Amino acid sequence: MSDVHQEILADVFSKACPSRDTLEHVTGRWGILAMMALTEGTFRFNALRRRVEGVSEKMLAQTLQALERDGFVHREAQPVIPPKVEYSLTPLGEQTAAKVIDLVRFLEGKLPEVLAAQQRYDAAKG
Amino acid sequence: MSDVHQEILADVFSKACPSRDTLEHVTGRWGILAMMALTEGTFRFNALRRRVEGVSEKMLAQTLQALERDGFVHREAQPVIPPKVEYSLTPLGEQTAAKVIDLVRFLEGKLPEVLAAQQRYDAAKG
């Protein structure tokens, strides 16, 4: 199957399309924050965990593993003692992170509008 | 507090920032698909449920309620028998959906690259 053919078939609306899983890795809470953090540079695990406030060790490990498997994150393990493992974005990860950041910055900018809508909604229900 | 001041404060990296919740409503699996579907027009609940393949009635109801509260989705209940309720995007929802679609189309297009990365990863581990 050629790339072009696969490209045409990808449809996130379809339950069976693997693009749904990849979309979730990128747009899950921790996926978004990990990718955004990695646009700032290469991180060791614990430093990344401090940057992504609130993430558990287990969730960050799972998130990075899924992003590495999808080809967004590069994991570099150096054979030294103590072990040194560094995470960075691949070129595909950089491109993807740029789209994610565009969405996040937009929503951060619209937060006052969102909070006002929430107040109106709650007042109408209340 | 002025809008400008709130805008500067919004920071998705901060655990306490309400932008994190809004981001999740928009980028959750069903939030993404519901907003994308609504760019195609106004939908009644059951029609939208058919369009967003695989979503349960409960999850779609929760998703739409969160998106309505945030001001992305407009819910129009007409006082007729049987009740007629229609969902559409607000102007803010339209703008947001455009950013989401940009990310999704990008990832759909990169799916062959992602699948190839997954195969390499699994082969190396396997």
Side-chain angles (χ1 to χ4, degrees):
Chain A
M1 193 184 285
S2 74
D3 282 2
V4 171
H5 189 48
Q6 283 191 319
E7 193 163 336
I8 290 165
L9 288 179
D11 174 15
V12 80
F13 275 111
S14 167
K15 205 158 53 171
C17 186
S19 62
R20 271 206 186 173
D21 291 329
T22 297
L23 186 60
E24 275 187 35
H25 299 156
V26 170
T27 62
R29 168 178 286 204
W30 306 123
I32 288 179
L33 295 176
M35 292 194 53
M36 286 180 70
L38 289 171
T39 63
E40 297 165 8
T42 296
F43 278 81
R44 292 179 70 167
F45 186 86
N46 285 325
L48 189 57
R49 197 177 154 206
R50 281 190 296 274
R51 184 71 184 96
V52 180
E53 208 181 286
V55 72
S56 71
E57 195 172 318
K58 188 182 166 191
M59 282 308 302
L60 183 58
Q62 281 180 5
T63 298
L64 288 171
Q65 197 184 3
L67 292 174
E68 184 193 355
R69 183 168 179 267
D70 287 343
F72 299 119
V73 164
H74 175 67
R75 181 179 182 278
E76 181 81 33
Q78 288 171 27
V80 293
I81 296 169
K84 190 178 172 187
V85 182
E86 288 188 327
Y87 296 89
S88 57
L89 291 177
T90 63
L92 177 61
E94 296 275 4
Q95 289 179 284
T96 307
K99 301 269 180 200
V100 169
I101 286 175
D102 187 44
L103 173 63
V104 169
R105 294 290 175 239
F106 174 80
L107 286 174
E108 284 179 343
K110 294 296 183 184
L111 188 60
E113 213 173 308
V114 168
L115 294 176
Q118 289 176 351
Q119 281 172 7
R120 279 195 304 275
Y121 181 91
D122 294 344
K125 296 281 165 180
Chain B
M1 194 185 283
S2 73
D3 282 0
V4 171
H5 190 48
Q6 282 191 319
E7 192 164 335
I8 291 165
L9 288 179
D11 174 14
V12 80
F13 275 112
S14 167
K15 205 159 52 172
C17 186
S19 62
R20 271 205 187 174
D21 290 328
T22 297
L23 186 61
E24 274 186 37
H25 300 156
V26 171
T27 61
R29 166 179 287 204
W30 305 125
I32 288 179
L33 295 176
M35 291 196 49
M36 287 179 69
L38 288 172
T39 63
E40 296 165 8
T42 296
F43 278 81
R44 292 179 70 167
F45 186 87
N46 285 325
L48 188 57
R49 198 178 153 202
R50 281 190 296 275
R51 184 73 184 96
V52 180
E53 208 181 285
V55 72
S56 70
E57 195 172 318
K58 187 181 165 190
M59 282 308 302
L60 183 57
Q62 282 180 6
T63 298
L64 289 172
Q65 196 184 5
L67 293 174
E68 184 193 355
R69 183 169 179 266
D70 287 343
F72 298 119
V73 164
H74 175 67
R75 180 180 183 277
E76 181 82 32
Q78 287 171 27
V80 292
I81 296 168
K84 190 178 172 188
V85 181
E86 288 188 328
Y87 296 89
S88 57
L89 291 176
T90 63
L92 177 61
E94 296 275 5
Q95 287 180 285
T96 307
K99 302 268 180 200
V100 169
I101 286 175
D102 187 45
L103 173 62
V104 169
R105 294 290 175 238
F106 173 80
L107 286 175
E108 284 179 343
K110 295 295 182 185
L111 189 60
E113 213 172 308
V114 168
L115 294 175
Q118 290 176 350
Q119 281 171 8
R120 280 195 303 275
Y121 181 92
D122 293 344
K125 297 281 167 180

